[in-house]
């Protein structure tokens, strides 16, 4: 069953640090069957905390999504992402 990793950027704390993150992510995905479904578009929060940006990646399974997220290459990108902002990140299983 497919799974999605949802990145919700709540606040940018250091734009210069955050700018290094996107180019670090693409190489981490090349060995995984992931598809970017959402990213970079307009966000309007209807309920809850404000959000600056949302990215949704689709993976073939929950396990594949979790494996990518915990991979050594992506861990380096995570460190950079966290230098630049505050986030909610989750994996959800699809139907």
């Amino acid at each position: 069953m497919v799974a999605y990793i949802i990145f919700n950027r709540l606040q940018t704390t250091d734009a210069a640090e955050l700018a290094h993150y996107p180019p670090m992510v693409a190489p981490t995905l090349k060995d995984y069957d992931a598809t970017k479904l959402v990213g970079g578009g307009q966000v309007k929060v209807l309920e809850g905390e404000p959000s600056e940006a949302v990215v949704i990646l689709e993976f073939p399974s929950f396990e594949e999504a979790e494996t990518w997220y915990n991979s050594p290459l992506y861990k380096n990108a995570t460190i950079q992402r966290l230098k630049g902002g505050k986030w909610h990140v989750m994996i959800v299983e699809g139907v």
Side-chain angles (χ1 to χ4, degrees), residues 59-79:
F59 290 83
S61 68
F62 194 96
E63 293 76 19
E64 185 84 0
E66 195 168 29
T67 298
W68 170 77
Y69 181 81
N70 291 315
S71 68
L73 274 178
Y74 185 67
K75 283 294 180 192
N76 289 332
T78 297
I79 292 166

Side-chain angles (χ1 to χ4, degrees), residues 5-78:
I5 297 186
I6 303 169
F7 294 85
N8 179 15
R9 189 174 73 231
L10 303 172
Q11 179 185 18
T12 300
T13 55
D14 189 329
E17 290 290 346
L18 190 57
H20 297 288
Y21 171 70
M24 295 176 75
V25 175
T28 71
L29 291 167
K30 84 174 190 179
D31 292 334
Y32 297 86
D33 189 16
T35 303
K36 184 177 179 181
L37 300 177
V38 173
Q42 182 178 352
V43 175
K44 181 176 185 178
V45 175
L46 301 176
E47 296 182 25
E49 297 180 51
S51 176
E52 293 181 350
V54 175
V55 172
I56 300 176
L57 301 175
E58 180 182 70
F59 290 83
S61 68
F62 194 96
E63 293 76 19
E64 185 84 0
E66 195 168 29
T67 298
W68 170 77
Y69 181 81
N70 291 315
S71 68
L73 274 178
Y74 185 67
K75 283 294 180 192
N76 289 332
T78 297

